Amino acid sequence: MLIQTLAAAAASAAPQNKFGLVEVLFPGGKPNMIPLTTFTILAIMSFGSFFILFTKYMEQSKVIGQFRSGVPTFWRAASLKEGVGKLEKNSAWRQIVEDGILAEDQTTKLVDQTEAHDWLHGSLARSENSINAKLAGGLPFLATVGATSPFIGLFGTVVGIYGALINIGLAGSASIDKVAGPVGEALIMTALGLLVAVPAVLAYNFLQARNKRIAEMLTGFSTDVLANIASHGAVKPVLPAAAAPKPAAPAAAPKK
């Protein structure tokens, strides 16, 4: 009983923390508009950054997976028109082949073979560029967040320091109770700005590197398609030999 009484007395005597994030945003239960607006902007930026990271990563993984599973099967077909049906619908690889077949059909309307080759090359390059542009969607937002969120946090820092100076001027002394709150607010806003900027920069570099790898794969595939069309199906990339099926296990001898 005595221990419980002492614990309750100690809890009631403990000082209340008035310098947390909630106290910064809602001092005395009322909204502090500048820190609250800064926090809201940073929260939106952070949510958008992680949303783009996960969605673009899944999109990139899907494109890479379609290349590994569908392209080897496609090249084993007798012709492009036969092989295109083996590629997944609405995939980047099928788009390139379909654009190449369409461009090949349109070359019959061109009288100059040099212009026909340029038309094929330009059509496939345009298809590549449209795919790369789609994969790059959202990355400018990550770059913008990484570049601007520290300055948004710095704005909150400047406002917090300014509030500390006003409190010092009104109090006439630089006591800790007048300075700790605004300075704590300034430090929190700075930390939040960095907390938003660092993941955005890392996500941008990570996704950009994967997009570069996919662009190289698209260029190689487009070049193979162009060579196949120009050679009337004679030129195909060298593919690894298909794995031989595993032999069936011998049946167990019947028991006598």
Side-chain angles (χ1 to χ4, degrees), residues 1 21 41 50 56 62 69 131 143 151 167 172 190 217:
M1 187 68 181
L21 179 61
I41 294 174
F50 281 101
K56 301 306 291 187
K62 183 179 180 180
S69 62
I131 296 170
F151 296 101
N167 290 340
T190 302
M217 296 163 64

Side-chain angles (χ1 to χ4, degrees), residues 44-116:
I44 294 173
M45 285 183 166
S46 180
F47 176 79
S49 298
F50 281 101
F51 176 78
I52 291 173
L53 171 62
F54 290 121
T55 55
K56 301 306 291 187
Y57 177 79
M58 295 300 296
E59 183 180 5
Q60 292 172 341
S61 299
K62 183 179 180 180
V63 173
I64 296 174
Q66 290 170 343
F67 175 82
R68 293 174 178 173
S69 62
V71 171
T73 305
F74 162 77
W75 283 120
R76 292 188 177 96
S79 65
L80 294 183
K81 292 183 179 180
E82 179 184 339
V84 71
K86 299 181 180 181
L87 295 173
E88 187 174 337
K89 292 183 178 180
N90 300 322
S91 69
W93 315 105
R94 182 160 182 164
Q95 176 182 329
I96 289 178
V97 178
E98 289 178 342
D99 289 344
I101 294 174
L102 178 61
E104 181 185 17
D105 294 337
Q106 293 173 341
T107 55
T108 57
K109 302 177 182 179
L110 302 176
V111 296
D112 191 342
Q113 291 299 317
T114 302
E115 292 180 355

Side-chain angles (χ1 to χ4, degrees), residues 201-223:
V201 172
L202 294 177
Y204 175 83
N205 292 332
F206 173 71
L207 296 176
Q208 191 79 325
R210 284 170 62 89
N211 275 348
K212 183 178 180 181
R213 179 187 173 192
I214 294 175
E216 293 172 353
M217 296 163 64
L218 289 170
T219 300
F221 182 72
S222 176
T223 302

Side-chain angles (χ1 to χ4, degrees), residues 28-47:
K30 298 180 180 180
N32 191 355
M33 294 309 300
I34 293 180
L36 184 59
T37 302
T38 303
F39 176 81
T40 302
I41 294 174
L42 292 175
I44 294 173
M45 285 183 166
S46 180
F47 176 79

Side-chain angles (χ1 to χ4, degrees), residues 232-249:
H232 301 288
V235 176
K236 290 185 177 182
V238 179
L239 299 174
K246 295 182 179 180

